[in-house]
Amino acid sequence: MNVYLKPGENLVHDALWDGVLAIVEKLPSNGNTRRSIDEFTEDGMGGSAMRATYSVKQEDGTHKVFQLTLSCEESIDHEDGFWGPGGTRDGDDPAKRVVVAGEHYVLGDDKPDYPKAFKGFGGRRFAIEFLDGRRIVTHDLWHQGVVPPKWRERYPNNARFVQPGGAS
């Protein structure tokens, strides 16, 4: 199946063709060459493949032919080693965990004698109200990132940021 796409119509197609061209650049050439896409397929689940032919005409009238096959698999990385069981976040003290709007933070030690450069967010002040009613103010909050959808049940929202005077 030949698929004819204009450049920019399909970024994966363009990337695979760029890969073909990069390989062809390293193959023998005498100036009398042909290259073509024989097939480009997408499986609808993030997989794409391209089969291409590159041929070099020889002095005796034959062609040296190279069949190239490149593929690309798209997937989602849920950062299991960071968020999943046994991952980096399991080392956090659960009492210091702050999750606001799907973003994960950890309370630092908030030692007053530490320079601001050694505190999360450079020592900026955060007023936090936990959903269980606790309220704290910290100058040492560390951001770990957005919790991927797969792990949001494991790290549900447990707090909100509040302004001085109690407004959120």
Side-chain angles (χ1 to χ4, degrees):
M1 162 176 91
N2 286 322
V3 175
Y4 299 100
L5 298 170
K6 295 177 187 167
E9 278 188 312
N10 185 305
L11 297 179
V12 174
H13 175 276
D14 294 351
L16 290 173
W17 182 244
D18 288 346
V20 167
L21 296 178
I23 293 169
V24 164
E25 188 177 294
K26 303 291 184 187
L27 295 175
S29 172
N30 59 12
N32 194 352
T33 63
R34 290 185 297 201
R35 59 183 189 237
S36 65
I37 297 173
D38 299 324
E39 185 176 28
F40 173 70
T41 58
E42 294 179 295
D43 65 12
M45 297 183 300
S48 301
M50 179 177 285
R51 201 177 77 238
T53 300
Y54 172 69
S55 66
V56 181
K57 188 168 186 171
Q58 304 299 298
E59 288 182 19
D60 65 2
T62 62
H63 285 82
K64 186 178 280 191
V65 179
F66 299 88
Q67 291 291 136
L68 306 171
T69 304
L70 282 79
S71 64
C72 175
E73 293 291 327
E74 180 181 327
S75 65
I76 294 174
D77 179 3
H78 297 282
E79 296 191 32
D80 294 350
F82 189 75
W83 299 105
T88 305
R89 296 284 46 96
D90 277 354
D92 297 336
D93 178 351
K96 292 186 172 192
R97 180 171 291 132
V98 178
V99 184
V100 176
E103 298 215 28
H104 189 283
Y105 305 84
V106 172
L107 295 168
D109 293 328
D110 213 1
K111 295 182 180 177
D113 56 333
Y114 271 30
K116 286 184 177 184
F118 297 116
K119 294 181 177 186
F121 288 98
R124 190 172 128 209
R125 181 185 184 278
F126 288 90
I128 300 167
E129 179 180 33
F130 287 91
L131 300 181
D132 65 10
R134 291 178 293 140
R135 287 179 166 244
I136 64 158
V137 173
T138 184
H139 293 272
D140 195 8
L141 186 66
W142 294 87
H143 184 251
Q144 280 70 55
V146 175
V147 178
K150 177 180 178 181
W151 298 114
R152 289 190 184 151
E153 189 174 310
R154 192 164 198 254
Y155 299 101
N157 292 333
N158 69 348
R160 65 186 185 107
F161 295 118
V162 295
Q163 301 298 320
S168 39

